[in-house]
Amino acid sequence: MENISISSITSVSDNLFKLLLDADPSKNIVQSYLKRAYKFIALFKGAPVGIVLLIDTRPETIEIINIAVSKDYRNQGIGGKLLEYSIKWAKSKKYRVIEIGTGSTSFGQLYLYQKYGFRPVSIDRDFFVTHYPHRIIENKLVLKDMVRLQQYLF
């Protein structure tokens, strides 16, 4: 999709917060990382259509902690543009590693992240069972594990 611009923001509107909850259904968890995250939105014709949040996790390492695209704009390349932007931004800030985690049943996201150079490095067993109060069903499966992926930036 052409005419997408990405820019930094300092706060998140209620609509953007709801969008973040599409990617991470726990209000408490989203609120726990929101204030310390670097925030970027994707705009199409001036309207927000996607968001990505990154946080520092270790020296020289940053994690994409949340990435979401509005339902009406999914599967049009916006998620890829947000990933590309995040990778370029991290390189410009001299990070050596960028990480992302997703559900083991998130087949589309796993494909997308690997398409943009992320490689699986570990599994957090029972992450979603332990950290979320309700079962999450995705692709007709109970989501239990988080797959962690990373990319070296040098």
Side-chain angles (χ1 to χ4, degrees):
M1 175 177 255
E2 299 299 319
N3 301 320
I4 296 293
S5 64
I6 299 175
S7 58
S8 176
I9 57 172
T10 56
S11 62
V12 171
S13 67
D14 289 343
N15 285 341
L16 286 174
F17 189 81
K18 288 177 187 170
L19 184 55
L20 292 169
L21 292 175
D22 280 352
D24 185 338
S26 172
K27 286 182 182 180
N28 290 337
I29 291 175
V30 172
Q31 287 172 334
S32 75
Y33 56 68
L34 188 59
K35 286 185 181 179
R36 62 188 174 113
Y38 302 101
K39 305 165 197 60
F40 303 95
I41 58 168
L43 299 168
F44 177 66
K45 297 183 179 178
V49 294
I51 186 167
V52 62
L53 304 180
L54 296 91
I55 61 168
D56 293 305
T57 56
R58 291 183 300 285
E60 301 181 326
T61 301
I62 194 153
E63 180 178 351
I64 298 172
I65 196 77
N66 194 313
I67 183 170
V69 175
S70 299
K71 285 185 174 101
D72 293 342
Y73 293 91
R74 291 182 185 157
N75 299 310
Q76 297 180 41
I78 296 168
K81 288 184 185 301
L82 286 166
L83 287 171
E84 285 176 346
Y85 184 90
S86 298
I87 293 164
K88 287 179 186 174
W89 182 86
K91 284 180 180 179
S92 77
K93 300 297 182 187
K94 308 295 186 215
Y95 288 96
R96 295 177 62 81
V97 177
I98 188 167
E99 299 178 329
I100 194 164
T102 194
S104 60
T105 59
S106 303
F107 307 130
Q109 291 89 331
L110 285 165
Y111 170 79
L112 179 66
Y113 302 154
Q114 291 177 82
K115 181 178 172 184
Y116 283 88
F118 289 88
R119 298 191 58 200
V121 293
S122 65
I123 295 174
D124 288 348
R125 292 180 57 84
D126 293 324
F127 179 88
F128 295 99
V129 175
T130 303
H131 294 93
Y132 291 79
H134 305 288
R135 284 187 346 161
I136 299 170
I137 307 294
E138 184 178 47
N139 293 315
K140 299 180 183 176
L141 297 168
V142 176
L143 176 58
K144 295 179 182 176
D145 305 323
M146 178 184 286
V147 178
R148 298 205 110 335
L149 303 97
Q150 68 179 206
Q151 181 177 148
Y152 291 101
L153 299 174
F154 51 89

